[in-house]
Coordinates of all heavy atoms in Angstrom, one line a residue:
W1 N 137.3 24.3 83.2 CA 136.8 23.8 81.9 C 135.8 24.9 81.4 O 135.8 25.3 80.1 CB 136.2 22.5 82.0 CG 135.7 22.0 80.7 CD1 134.5 21.9 80.3 CD2 136.5 21.6 79.6 NE1 134.4 21.3 79.0 CE2 135.7 21.2 78.5 CE3 137.9 21.6 79.4 CZ2 136.1 20.7 77.3 CZ3 138.3 21.1 78.1 CH2 137.4 20.7 77.1
H2 N 134.9 25.4 82.3 CA 134.0 26.3 81.9 C 134.6 27.6 81.2 O 134.3 28.1 80.2 CB 133.0 26.8 83.0 CG 132.2 28.0 82.7 ND1 131.2 28.0 81.9 CD2 132.3 29.3 83.1 CE1 130.7 29.2 81.9 NE2 131.4 30.0 82.6
L3 N 135.7 28.2 82.0 CA 136.4 29.3 81.5 C 137.1 29.0 80.2 O 137.2 29.9 79.3 CB 137.4 29.8 82.5 CG 136.8 30.3 83.9 CD1 137.9 30.6 84.8 CD2 136.0 31.5 83.6
F4 N 137.7 27.9 80.0 CA 138.5 27.5 78.9 C 137.5 27.5 77.7 O 137.8 28.0 76.6 CB 139.1 26.2 79.0 CG 139.9 25.7 77.8 CD1 141.0 26.2 77.5 CD2 139.3 24.7 77.1 CE1 141.8 25.8 76.4 CE2 140.1 24.2 76.0 CZ 141.2 24.8 75.6
Q5 N 136.3 26.9 77.9 CA 135.3 26.8 76.8 C 134.7 28.2 76.4 O 134.4 28.5 75.3 CB 134.2 25.8 77.1 CG 134.6 24.4 77.2 CD 135.1 23.9 75.8 OE1 134.4 24.2 74.8 NE2 136.3 23.3 75.7
R6 N 134.4 29.0 77.4 CA 133.8 30.3 77.2 C 134.6 31.4 76.6 O 134.2 32.2 75.8 CB 133.2 30.7 78.6 CG 132.5 32.1 78.4 CD 131.7 32.4 79.7 NE 131.3 33.8 79.5 CZ 130.0 34.1 79.3 NH1 129.1 33.2 79.4 NH2 129.6 35.4 79.2
Y7 N 135.9 31.4 77.1 CA 136.8 32.4 76.6 C 137.9 31.8 75.7 O 139.1 31.7 76.1 CB 137.5 33.1 77.8 CG 136.5 33.7 78.7 CD1 136.1 33.2 79.8 CD2 135.9 34.9 78.3 CE1 135.1 33.8 80.7 CE2 134.9 35.5 79.1 CZ 134.5 35.0 80.3 OH 133.6 35.6 81.1
K8 N 137.6 31.4 74.6 CA 138.5 30.7 73.6 C 139.5 31.7 73.0 O 140.5 31.2 72.5 CB 137.7 30.0 72.5 CG 136.9 28.8 73.1 CD 136.2 28.1 72.0 CE 135.4 27.0 72.6 NZ 134.9 26.1 71.6
D9 N 139.3 32.9 73.0 CA 140.1 33.9 72.3 C 141.1 34.6 73.2 O 141.8 35.5 72.8 CB 139.2 35.0 71.6 CG 138.4 34.5 70.5 OD1 138.7 33.4 70.0 OD2 137.3 35.1 70.3
I10 N 141.3 34.1 74.5 CA 142.2 34.7 75.4 C 143.4 33.9 75.5 O 143.3 32.7 75.3 CB 141.6 35.2 76.7 CG1 141.1 33.8 77.5 CG2 140.5 36.1 76.5 CD1 140.7 34.3 78.9
G11 N 144.6 34.4 75.9 CA 145.8 33.6 76.1 C 145.8 32.9 77.4 O 144.9 33.1 78.4
P12 N 146.8 32.1 77.6 CA 146.9 31.3 78.8 C 147.0 32.1 80.1 O 146.5 31.8 81.2 CB 148.2 30.5 78.6 CG 148.5 30.5 77.2 CD 147.8 31.7 76.6
R13 N 147.8 33.3 80.0 CA 147.9 34.2 81.2 C 146.6 34.7 81.6 O 146.3 34.7 82.9 CB 148.9 35.3 80.8 CG 149.1 36.1 82.0 CD 150.2 37.2 81.7 NE 150.3 38.1 82.9 CZ 151.3 38.9 83.1 NH1 152.2 39.1 82.1 NH2 151.3 39.7 84.1
E14 N 145.8 35.3 80.7 CA 144.5 35.8 81.1 C 143.6 34.7 81.6 O 142.8 34.9 82.5 CB 143.9 36.5 79.8 CG 144.6 37.8 79.4 CD 145.8 37.5 78.6 OE1 146.0 36.3 78.0 OE2 146.5 38.4 78.2
L15 N 143.7 33.5 81.0 CA 142.8 32.3 81.5 C 143.2 32.0 82.9 O 142.4 31.8 83.8 CB 143.0 31.2 80.6 CG 142.1 30.0 80.7 CD1 140.6 30.5 80.6 CD2 142.3 29.0 79.7
T16 N 144.5 32.0 83.2 CA 145.0 31.7 84.5 C 144.5 32.8 85.5 O 144.1 32.4 86.6 CB 146.5 31.7 84.5 OG1 146.9 30.6 83.6 CG2 147.0 31.4 85.9
D17 N 144.5 34.1 85.1 CA 144.0 35.1 86.0 C 142.6 34.9 86.3 O 142.1 35.2 87.4 CB 144.3 36.5 85.3 CG 145.8 36.9 85.3 OD1 146.6 36.3 86.0 OD2 146.1 37.7 84.5
L18 N 141.7 34.6 85.3 CA 140.3 34.3 85.4 C 140.1 33.2 86.4 O 139.3 33.3 87.3 CB 139.6 34.0 84.1 CG 139.4 35.3 83.2 CD1 138.8 34.7 81.9 CD2 138.4 36.2 83.9
R19 N 140.9 32.1 86.2 CA 140.7 31.0 87.1 C 141.0 31.4 88.6 O 140.4 31.1 89.6 CB 141.6 29.8 86.7 CG 141.4 28.6 87.5 CD 142.6 27.7 87.6 NE 143.9 28.4 87.9 CZ 144.2 28.6 89.2 NH1 143.5 28.3 90.2 NH2 145.4 29.1 89.4
S20 N 142.2 32.1 88.7 CA 142.6 32.5 90.1 C 141.5 33.4 90.7 O 141.3 33.3 92.0 CB 143.9 33.3 90.0 OG 144.9 32.5 89.6
A21 N 141.0 34.3 89.9 CA 139.9 35.2 90.5 C 138.7 34.4 90.9 O 138.0 34.7 91.8 CB 139.5 36.3 89.5
S22 N 138.3 33.4 90.1 CA 137.1 32.6 90.4 C 137.2 31.8 91.6 O 136.2 31.4 92.2 CB 136.8 31.8 89.2 OG 137.6 30.7 89.0
V23 N 138.4 31.4 92.1 CA 138.6 30.7 93.3 C 139.3 31.4 94.4 O 139.6 30.8 95.4 CB 139.3 29.3 93.0 CG1 138.6 28.5 92.1 CG2 140.8 29.6 92.5
N24 N 139.3 32.7 94.2 CA 139.9 33.5 95.3 C 139.0 33.5 96.6 O 137.8 33.7 96.5 CB 140.0 35.0 94.7 CG 140.4 36.0 95.7 OD1 139.7 36.3 96.6 ND2 141.6 36.4 95.5
N25 N 139.6 33.3 97.7 CA 138.8 33.2 98.9 C 138.0 34.4 99.2 O 136.7 34.2 99.6 CB 139.8 33.0 100.2 CG 139.0 32.6 101.4 OD1 138.3 31.6 101.4 ND2 139.2 33.4 102.4
E26 N 138.3 35.6 98.9 CA 137.6 36.8 99.1 C 136.3 36.8 98.2 O 135.3 37.1 98.6 CB 138.4 38.0 99.0 CG 137.6 39.3 99.4 CD 138.4 40.5 99.5 OE1 139.7 40.4 99.6 OE2 137.8 41.6 99.7
N27 N 136.6 36.4 97.0 CA 135.4 36.4 96.1 C 134.4 35.4 96.5 O 133.2 35.7 96.4 CB 135.9 36.1 94.6 CG 136.6 37.3 94.0 OD1 136.5 38.4 94.4 ND2 137.4 37.0 93.0
L28 N 134.9 34.2 96.8 CA 134.0 33.1 97.3 C 133.3 33.5 98.5 O 132.0 33.2 98.7 CB 134.7 31.9 97.4 CG 135.4 31.2 96.3 CD1 136.2 30.0 96.6 CD2 134.3 30.8 95.2
A29 N 133.9 34.2 99.4 CA 133.3 34.7 100.7 C 132.2 35.7 100.4 O 131.1 35.6 101.0 CB 134.3 35.2 101.6
Q30 N 132.4 36.6 99.4 CA 131.4 37.6 99.1 C 130.2 36.9 98.4 O 129.1 37.3 98.7 CB 132.1 38.6 98.1 CG 133.0 39.5 98.8 CD 133.7 40.4 97.8 OE1 133.0 40.9 96.9 NE2 134.9 40.9 98.1
V31 N 130.4 35.9 97.6 CA 129.3 35.2 97.1 C 128.5 34.4 98.2 O 127.2 34.5 98.2 CB 129.8 34.1 96.0 CG1 128.6 33.3 95.6 CG2 130.4 34.9 94.9
A32 N 129.2 33.8 99.1 CA 128.6 33.2 100.2 C 127.7 34.2 101.0 O 126.5 33.8 101.3 CB 129.5 32.5 101.1
V33 N 128.2 35.3 101.3 CA 127.5 36.3 102.0 C 126.3 36.9 101.2 O 125.2 37.0 101.7 CB 128.4 37.5 102.5 CG1 127.6 38.6 103.0 CG2 129.4 37.0 103.5
R34 N 126.6 37.1 99.9 CA 125.4 37.5 99.1 C 124.2 36.5 99.0 O 123.0 36.9 99.1 CB 125.9 37.6 97.6 CG 124.8 38.2 96.7 CD 125.4 38.2 95.2 NE 126.6 38.7 95.1 CZ 127.5 38.5 94.1 NH1 127.1 37.7 93.2 NH2 128.6 39.0 94.1
H35 N 124.5 35.2 99.2 CA 123.4 34.2 99.3 C 123.1 33.8 100.7 O 122.4 32.8 100.9 CB 123.9 33.0 98.4 CG 123.9 33.3 97.0 ND1 122.9 33.5 96.1 CD2 125.1 33.5 96.2 CE1 123.3 33.8 94.9 NE2 124.6 33.9 95.0
K36 N 123.7 34.6 101.6 CA 123.4 34.4 103.0 C 123.8 33.0 103.6 O 123.0 32.4 104.5 CB 121.9 34.8 103.4 CG 121.7 36.2 103.1 CD 120.2 36.5 103.6 CE 119.8 37.9 103.1 NZ 120.8 39.0 103.2
L37 N 124.8 32.4 102.9 CA 125.2 31.1 103.3 C 125.8 31.0 104.7 O 125.9 29.9 105.4 CB 126.0 30.4 102.3 CG 125.5 30.2 100.9 CD1 126.4 29.7 99.9 CD2 124.2 29.3 101.0
Q38 N 126.4 32.1 105.2 CA 127.1 32.2 106.5 C 126.1 31.8 107.6 O 126.5 31.3 108.6 CB 127.7 33.5 106.7 CG 126.8 34.6 107.1 CD 126.1 35.4 106.0 OE1 126.1 34.9 104.9 NE2 125.4 36.4 106.2
Q39 N 124.8 31.9 107.4 CA 123.8 31.6 108.5 C 123.7 30.1 108.6 O 123.2 29.7 109.7 CB 122.4 32.2 107.9 CG 122.5 33.6 107.9 CD 121.1 34.2 107.2 OE1 120.2 33.4 107.0 NE2 121.0 35.4 107.0
H40 N 124.2 29.3 107.7 CA 124.1 27.9 107.8 C 125.3 27.2 108.2 O 125.4 26.0 108.4 CB 123.7 27.4 106.4 CG 122.4 28.0 105.9 ND1 121.1 27.6 106.4 CD2 122.2 28.8 105.0 CE1 120.2 28.4 105.7 NE2 120.7 29.1 104.9
L41 N 126.4 28.0 108.7 CA 127.6 27.4 109.2 C 127.4 26.9 110.5 O 126.8 27.6 111.4 CB 128.8 28.4 109.2 CG 129.4 28.8 107.8 CD1 130.3 29.9 108.0 CD2 130.0 27.7 107.1
Q42 N 127.8 25.7 110.8 CA 127.8 25.1 112.1 C 129.1 25.2 112.8 O 130.1 24.6 112.4 CB 127.3 23.7 112.1 CG 125.8 23.6 111.5 CD 125.4 22.0 111.5 OE1 126.0 21.2 112.0 NE2 124.2 21.9 110.9
H43 N 129.1 26.0 113.9 CA 130.4 26.1 114.6 C 130.0 26.5 116.1 O 128.9 26.8 116.3 CB 131.3 27.2 113.9 CG 130.7 28.5 113.9 ND1 130.7 29.4 115.0 CD2 129.9 29.1 113.0 CE1 130.0 30.5 114.7 NE2 129.6 30.4 113.4
N44 N 131.0 26.4 116.8 CA 130.9 26.8 118.3 C 132.0 27.7 118.7 O 132.7 27.5 119.6 CB 130.8 25.5 119.1 CG 130.3 25.8 120.6 OD1 129.7 26.9 120.8 ND2 130.6 24.9 121.5
S45 N 132.2 28.7 117.9 CA 133.3 29.6 118.1 C 132.8 31.1 118.1 O 132.4 31.6 117.1 CB 134.4 29.5 117.1 OG 135.3 30.5 117.1
G46 N 132.9 31.7 119.3 CA 132.5 33.1 119.4 C 133.4 34.0 118.5 O 133.0 34.9 117.8
L47 N 134.7 33.6 118.5 CA 135.7 34.4 117.6 C 135.3 34.3 116.2 O 135.3 35.3 115.5 CB 137.1 34.0 117.9 CG 138.2 34.7 117.2 CD1 138.2 36.3 117.5 CD2 139.6 34.1 117.6
L48 N 135.0 33.1 115.7 CA 134.6 32.9 114.3 C 133.4 33.8 114.0 O 133.3 34.4 113.0 CB 134.5 31.5 114.0 CG 134.1 31.2 112.5 CD1 135.0 31.7 111.5 CD2 133.9 29.6 112.4
L49 N 132.4 33.6 114.8 CA 131.2 34.4 114.6 C 131.4 35.9 114.6 O 130.9 36.6 113.7 CB 130.2 34.1 115.8 CG 128.9 34.9 115.6 CD1 128.1 34.5 114.3 CD2 128.0 34.6 116.9
E50 N 132.3 36.4 115.4 CA 132.7 37.8 115.4 C 133.4 38.2 114.1 O 133.1 39.2 113.5 CB 133.7 38.0 116.6 CG 134.0 39.5 116.7 CD 134.9 39.7 118.0 OE1 134.7 39.1 119.0 OE2 136.0 40.4 117.8
N51 N 134.3 37.3 113.6 CA 135.0 37.6 112.4 C 134.0 37.6 111.2 O 134.1 38.5 110.3 CB 136.1 36.6 112.1 CG 137.2 36.8 113.1 OD1 137.4 37.8 113.7 ND2 138.1 35.8 113.2
I52 N 133.1 36.7 111.2 CA 132.1 36.6 110.1 C 131.2 37.9 110.2 O 130.9 38.4 109.1 CB 131.2 35.4 110.2 CG1 132.2 34.1 109.8 CG2 130.1 35.4 109.2 CD1 131.6 32.8 110.1
T53 N 130.7 38.2 111.3 CA 129.9 39.3 111.5 C 130.6 40.7 111.0 O 130.0 41.5 110.3 CB 129.4 39.4 112.9 OG1 128.7 38.3 113.3 CG2 128.5 40.7 113.1
E54 N 131.9 40.8 111.4 CA 132.7 42.0 111.0 C 132.8 42.0 109.4 O 132.6 43.1 108.8 CB 134.0 41.9 111.6 CG 134.9 43.1 111.2 CD 136.3 42.9 111.8 OE1 136.4 42.4 112.9 OE2 137.2 43.3 111.1
F55 N 133.0 40.9 108.8 CA 133.2 40.8 107.3 C 131.9 41.2 106.6 O 131.8 42.0 105.7 CB 133.7 39.4 106.9 CG 133.8 39.4 105.5 CD1 134.8 39.9 104.8 CD2 132.9 38.6 104.7 CE1 135.1 39.7 103.4 CE2 133.1 38.5 103.2 CZ 134.1 39.1 102.6
V56 N 130.7 40.7 107.1 CA 129.4 40.9 106.6 C 129.1 42.4 106.7 O 128.6 43.0 105.7 CB 128.3 40.1 107.2 CG1 126.9 40.6 106.8 CG2 128.6 38.6 106.9
K57 N 129.4 43.0 107.9 CA 129.1 44.5 108.1 C 130.0 45.2 107.1 O 129.6 46.3 106.6 CB 129.5 44.8 109.6 CG 129.1 46.2 109.9 CD 129.2 46.4 111.4 CE 129.0 47.9 111.8 NZ 128.6 48.8 110.9
R58 N 131.3 44.9 107.0 CA 132.1 45.7 106.1 C 131.6 45.6 104.6 O 131.6 46.7 103.9 CB 133.6 45.1 106.0 CG 134.4 45.5 107.2 CD 135.7 44.9 107.3 NE 136.4 45.1 106.0 CZ 137.3 44.3 105.6 NH1 137.6 43.2 106.3 NH2 137.9 44.4 104.4
L59 N 131.0 44.5 104.3 CA 130.4 44.5 102.9 C 129.2 45.4 102.8 O 129.0 46.0 101.8 CB 130.0 43.0 102.5 CG 131.2 42.1 102.2 CD1 130.7 40.7 102.0 CD2 132.0 42.6 101.0
E60 N 128.3 45.2 103.9 CA 127.1 46.1 103.9 C 127.4 47.6 103.9 O 126.7 48.3 103.3 CB 126.3 45.5 105.0 CG 125.7 44.2 104.8 CD 125.0 43.7 106.0 OE1 125.1 44.3 107.1 OE2 124.3 42.6 105.9
D61 N 128.5 47.9 104.6 CA 128.8 49.3 104.8 C 129.6 50.0 103.6 O 129.8 51.2 103.6 CB 129.5 49.6 106.1 CG 128.7 49.3 107.3 OD1 127.5 49.2 107.1 OD2 129.3 49.2 108.4
S62 N 130.0 49.1 102.8 CA 130.8 49.6 101.6 C 130.1 50.7 100.8 O 128.9 50.4 100.5 CB 131.2 48.4 100.7 OG 132.0 48.8 99.7
D63 N 130.7 51.8 100.5 CA 130.0 52.8 99.7 C 129.8 52.4 98.3 O 128.7 52.8 97.7 CB 131.0 54.1 99.6 CG 131.0 54.7 101.0 OD1 130.1 54.5 101.9 OD2 132.0 55.5 101.3
E64 N 130.7 51.7 97.7 CA 130.5 51.3 96.2 C 129.7 50.0 96.2 O 128.7 49.9 97.0 CB 131.8 51.1 95.5 CG 132.5 52.4 95.6 CD 133.8 52.4 94.7 OE1 134.0 51.6 93.9 OE2 134.6 53.3 94.9
N65 N 129.9 49.2 95.3 CA 129.2 47.9 95.2 C 129.7 47.0 96.3 O 130.9 46.7 96.4 CB 129.5 47.3 93.8 CG 128.6 46.0 93.6 OD1 128.2 45.4 94.5 ND2 128.6 45.7 92.3
K66 N 128.8 46.6 97.1 CA 129.2 45.8 98.4 C 129.8 44.4 98.0 O 130.3 43.8 98.9 CB 128.1 45.8 99.4 CG 126.9 45.0 98.9 CD 125.9 45.1 100.0 CE 124.6 44.5 99.6 NZ 123.5 44.6 100.6
Y67 N 129.6 44.0 96.8 CA 130.1 42.7 96.5 C 131.3 42.7 95.6 O 131.8 41.8 95.0 CB 129.1 41.8 95.9 CG 127.9 41.6 96.9 CD1 126.8 42.1 96.7 CD2 128.2 40.9 98.1 CE1 125.7 42.0 97.6 CE2 127.2 40.7 99.0 CZ 126.0 41.3 98.7 OH 124.9 41.1 99.6
M68 N 131.9 44.0 95.4 CA 133.2 44.1 94.7 C 134.3 43.8 95.6 O 134.1 44.0 96.8 CB 133.2 45.5 94.0 CG 132.2 45.7 93.0 SD 132.3 44.6 91.6 CE 133.8 45.1 90.9
L69 N 135.5 43.6 95.1 CA 136.7 43.4 95.9 C 136.9 44.6 96.8 O 136.8 45.7 96.4 CB 137.9 43.1 95.1 CG 138.0 41.8 94.5 CD1 139.3 41.7 93.5 CD2 138.2 40.8 95.5
L70 N 137.2 44.3 98.1 CA 137.4 45.5 99.0 C 138.8 45.9 98.8 O 139.8 45.1 98.8 CB 137.2 44.9 100.4 CG 135.9 44.3 100.8 CD1 135.9 43.8 102.1 CD2 134.8 45.4 100.6
S71 N 138.9 47.2 98.5 CA 140.3 47.8 98.2 C 140.9 48.5 99.3 O 141.8 49.4 99.1 CB 140.2 48.6 96.8 OG 139.2 49.6 97.1
N72 N 140.4 48.5 100.4 CA 140.9 49.2 101.6 C 141.9 48.5 102.4 O 141.7 48.3 103.5 CB 139.7 49.8 102.4 CG 138.8 48.6 103.0 OD1 139.0 47.5 102.5 ND2 137.9 49.0 103.8
G73 N 142.9 48.0 101.7 CA 144.0 47.3 102.4 C 143.7 45.8 102.6 O 142.8 45.3 102.0
P74 N 144.6 45.1 103.2 CA 144.4 43.7 103.4 C 143.2 43.3 104.2 O 142.9 43.9 105.2 CB 145.7 43.2 104.2 CG 146.3 44.5 104.7 CD 145.8 45.7 104.0
S75 N 142.4 42.5 103.6 CA 141.1 42.3 104.2 C 141.3 41.0 105.1 O 142.0 40.1 104.8 CB 140.1 42.0 103.2 OG 140.4 41.0 102.3
K76 N 140.4 40.9 106.1 CA 140.4 39.8 107.0 C 139.1 39.0 106.6 O 138.0 39.2 107.1 CB 140.3 40.3 108.5 CG 141.5 41.0 108.9 CD 141.4 41.5 110.3 CE 142.5 42.3 110.7 NZ 142.4 42.9 112.0
V77 N 139.2 38.1 105.7 CA 138.2 37.2 105.2 C 138.2 36.0 105.9 O 139.2 35.2 105.9 CB 138.2 37.0 103.8 CG1 137.1 36.1 103.3 CG2 138.2 38.3 103.0
P78 N 137.2 35.6 106.8 CA 137.2 34.3 107.4 C 137.3 33.1 106.3 O 136.4 33.1 105.4 CB 135.9 34.2 108.1 CG 135.5 35.6 108.3 CD 136.1 36.3 107.3
K79 N 138.3 32.3 106.3 CA 138.5 31.2 105.3 C 137.2 30.4 105.3 O 137.0 29.9 104.1 CB 139.8 30.5 105.6 CG 141.0 31.2 105.3 CD 142.2 30.3 105.1 CE 143.3 31.0 104.7 NZ 143.5 31.0 103.2
V80 N 136.6 30.2 106.3 CA 135.4 29.3 106.3 C 134.3 29.7 105.4 O 133.6 28.9 104.8 CB 134.8 29.1 107.8 CG1 134.2 30.4 108.2 CG2 133.9 27.9 107.9
L81 N 134.2 31.1 105.0 CA 133.2 31.5 104.2 C 133.6 31.1 102.8 O 132.7 30.9 102.0 CB 133.2 33.0 104.3 CG 132.5 33.6 105.5 CD1 132.6 35.1 105.5 CD2 131.1 33.1 105.7
G82 N 134.8 31.0 102.4 CA 135.2 30.6 101.0 C 134.9 29.2 100.8 O 134.6 28.7 99.8

């Protein structure tokens, strides 16, 4: 609804693209890491912790903007972050 109200001059296809981008798991995971929400996840999985740590490190090590979409191939984003 927010996108529909804010971008009244765009067509349905562009609106759908914006909606898809706003709920994309990688984008949501990046926002979660930006706000350090991964620190509050409760789990008992060493593998999950390893995957989250690897994803956070990849964001931090990124040469460009660390919160932009990662374009170096298929990314391994832990779904729990989204």
